[in-house]
Amino acid sequence: MHHSPLARAAQTAEVVAKHLPQVPRHACDFATDRTPVPSAEERALYPSQWHGWLDGVPADERDDDAAALRRAVAHFGVAGTDERRELLITHNFVIGWFVRHVLDAPVWRWIGLNQDNCAITVVRWETGRPPALVSFNDTGHLQP
């Protein structure tokens, strides 16, 4: 279990860990909340209606050209010879970036892929196949 080091994700990981005591957990920089912000060279790839909002992203939240998020996808989004399952407890824009990647959508399309709190999104990487979005924003486990 990999979780963002930020408080809300760390607290959620603590709750989940009580139900999965055999699963080790740790704070993981790949899961840290980030906002992909285009550089001047990449700005034209984003719809102009979002430029003002992106300009207002605080410096400590910016991920220029999604460099850190691209590294996160490269780290987790690989198929190997052994089956493995990775649980990431993270934030909206990180999940949106992974979903955007899996769907091979334009770089800006993470915008508007909003997650409910505690929702589950499942992606799958298999050797010889494109990545697949198995479920998105599933909140069925939260129903009484």
Side-chain angles (χ1 to χ4, degrees), residues 58-99:
D60 62 335
E61 296 176 17
R62 299 173 78 84
D63 181 11
D64 294 329
D65 290 337
L69 289 170
R70 291 174 196 272
R71 286 191 298 275
V73 168
H75 178 77
F76 289 114
V78 295
T81 56
D82 296 328
E83 183 174 326
R84 72 180 205 281
R85 296 171 193 266
E86 307 280 351
L87 173 59
L88 276 65
I89 298 176
T90 187
H91 308 270
N92 189 58
F93 296 161
V94 177
I95 298 163
W97 185 264
F98 270 79
V99 170

Side-chain angles (χ1 to χ4, degrees), residues 1-5 13 23-31 75-76 86:
M1 181 184 327
H2 314 273
H3 65 82
S4 167
V23 177
R25 76 176 194 271
H26 69 275
C28 177
D29 189 53
F30 289 120
H75 178 77
F76 289 114
E86 307 280 351

Side-chain angles (χ1 to χ4, degrees), residues 5-143:
L6 299 179
R8 191 171 53 182
Q11 292 164 350
T12 300
E14 189 172 318
V15 171
V16 172
K18 290 176 184 173
H19 299 279
L20 301 170
Q22 73 285 8
V23 177
R25 76 176 194 271
H26 69 275
C28 177
D29 189 53
F30 289 120
T32 299
D33 192 17
R34 303 181 192 310
T35 304
V37 177
S39 62
E41 297 80 24
E42 300 284 320
R43 193 172 176 93
L45 298 175
Y46 279 68
S48 60
Q49 70 195 47
W50 294 105
H51 291 179
W53 180 81
L54 290 163
D55 291 343
V57 172
D60 62 335
E61 296 176 17
R62 299 173 78 84
D63 181 11
D64 294 329
D65 290 337
L69 289 170
R70 291 174 196 272
R71 286 191 298 275
V73 168
H75 178 77
F76 289 114
V78 295
T81 56
D82 296 328
E83 183 174 326
R84 72 180 205 281
R85 296 171 193 266
E86 307 280 351
L87 173 59
L88 276 65
I89 298 176
T90 187
H91 308 270
N92 189 58
F93 296 161
V94 177
I95 298 163
W97 185 264
F98 270 79
V99 170
R100 179 224 61 82
H101 172 81
V102 167
L103 296 177
D104 199 22
V107 293
W108 63 270
R109 199 55 194 100
W110 59 270
I111 299 172
L113 294 175
N114 298 317
Q115 320 303 306
D116 291 326
N117 286 333
C118 298
I120 296 173
T121 294
V122 178
V123 296
R124 177 183 301 138
W125 277 269
E126 294 181 81
T127 302
R129 295 178 176 223
L133 182 61
V134 176
S135 69
F136 175 71
N137 202 32
D138 181 356
T139 57
H141 61 287
L142 300 176
Q143 305 304 316

